[in-house]
Amino acid sequence: MNDTVDKLVVFLAKRDGIDKLVKTFQYVSKLVNWQAETSHPKLAQSFKQWEVASGLSRKAFRTGRFLTGFNALRRNPGSSATLKRLAVFANAGEMVYFFFDHFLWLSRIGTLDAKLAKKMSFISAFGESVGYIFFVISDFIMIREGLRKQRNLIVGSKEEEVEENIKKIREDRVMRLMGVSANIADLIIAIAEIEPNRICNHTVTLGICGLVSAWAGWYRNWPS
């Protein structure tokens, strides 16, 4: 129990940890609001306010987040020319997303002209979707490389070394699959903003995608 509490404290000390927790609040509130809208309108309104407040607080908390793309490229540009190019496009898209998200937040709270919100949301979502596509491609390439390494472990290595290497490869694969799940879920949410349609913009679709993204991110950021 104490170990779980300690891990929770470490998790919530991270910027991403707080973001995933508030994102969970945001999309649970969206689903509850949709479910209770006709039968319990007052309850639905309360959860709608919680959803909006959570969304705005996440945007405020991400102030300056676009700068992390530069650091990601500097620290881990990729092990091959292909991965380096993919990393540039992925992080560039994410930087556009976070940068214009600042203006979206300011327009929604009334600091900037509210008319800017729609345009800023489109640009932010477009950059976001570009980033997610390249992140997913990169993760699939790394998963494929991991599977190849797993099949071609050096013959004659000690059994303990082989098992340890396989364990590391599997752990990396699980983390990358969590990343793919989160990025695809967020891509659907971004598409709903770029090109509204009945499927992507349905409350259940958005709610489920938001929770998949939040919980996959929760798993990836939980202390080992």
Side-chain angles (χ1 to χ4, degrees):
M1 182 65 180
N2 289 335
D3 183 56
T4 302
V5 172
D6 290 341
K7 288 183 177 181
L8 182 61
V9 171
V10 173
F11 175 78
L12 294 178
K14 301 178 182 178
R15 183 203 289 245
D16 282 341
I18 290 290
D19 182 67
K20 301 316 173 190
L21 177 62
V22 179
K23 191 171 187 177
T24 299
F25 295 155
Q26 179 183 356
Y27 285 97
V28 167
S29 299
K30 177 181 280 292
L31 290 172
V32 174
N33 169 61
W34 173 76
Q35 180 66 30
E37 195 168 14
T38 55
S39 57
H40 301 87
K42 289 186 178 180
L43 178 65
Q45 181 61 27
S46 296
F47 276 93
K48 181 63 179 178
Q49 291 173 346
W50 194 3
E51 177 198 345
V52 173
S54 297
L56 290 175
S57 65
R58 288 183 62 223
K59 292 183 185 303
F61 195 68
R62 292 198 297 257
T63 301
R65 181 73 179 271
F66 71 96
L67 295 173
T68 59
F70 292 110
N71 192 46
L73 289 172
R74 181 177 63 86
R75 296 180 61 186
N76 187 24
S79 58
S80 67
T82 299
L83 287 174
K84 287 179 181 178
R85 286 193 289 268
L86 289 172
V88 169
F89 287 118
N91 284 284
E94 189 176 67
M95 283 188 282
V96 169
Y97 160 46
F98 284 126
F99 181 75
F100 284 95
D101 200 49
H102 296 341
F103 298 105
L104 173 59
W105 168 56
L106 291 173
S107 63
R108 284 185 172 169
I109 64 175
T111 303
L112 297 179
D113 190 342
K115 294 179 180 178
L116 290 172
K118 188 174 181 180
K119 186 175 183 180
M120 294 299 103
S121 180
F122 179 87
I123 297 172
S124 178
F126 185 82
E128 180 183 16
S129 62
V130 169
Y132 291 145
I133 289 170
F134 285 105
F135 277 127
V136 168
I137 294 172
S138 298
D139 279 330
F140 275 129
I141 290 174
M142 293 302 294
I143 288 171
R144 185 184 64 183
E145 289 186 3
L147 290 170
R148 180 179 55 79
K149 289 179 181 179
Q150 188 172 331
R151 289 193 300 264
N152 299 307
L153 285 172
I154 300 173
V155 177
S157 297
K158 294 181 180 179
E159 185 177 346
E160 297 80 6
E161 292 178 356
V162 172
E163 290 180 354
E164 185 64 26
N165 288 333
I166 290 177
K167 181 181 178 182
K168 290 180 180 178
I169 291 171
R170 286 175 175 169
E171 289 175 350
D172 180 75
R173 182 158 64 242
V174 170
M175 297 298 280
R176 291 190 182 281
L177 286 172
M178 290 293 104
V180 168
S181 299
N183 287 331
I184 291 177
D186 283 329
L187 176 60
I188 293 172
I189 296 174
I191 291 173
E193 187 63 40
I194 297 169
E195 190 63 39
N197 58 83
R198 288 187 301 174
I199 297 176
C200 292
N201 288 79
H202 195 283
T203 303
V204 174
T205 303
L206 293 173
I208 291 175
C209 286
L211 291 178
V212 167
S213 173
W215 293 340
W218 189 298
Y219 182 89
R220 296 180 75 194
N221 284 281
W222 188 257
S224 58

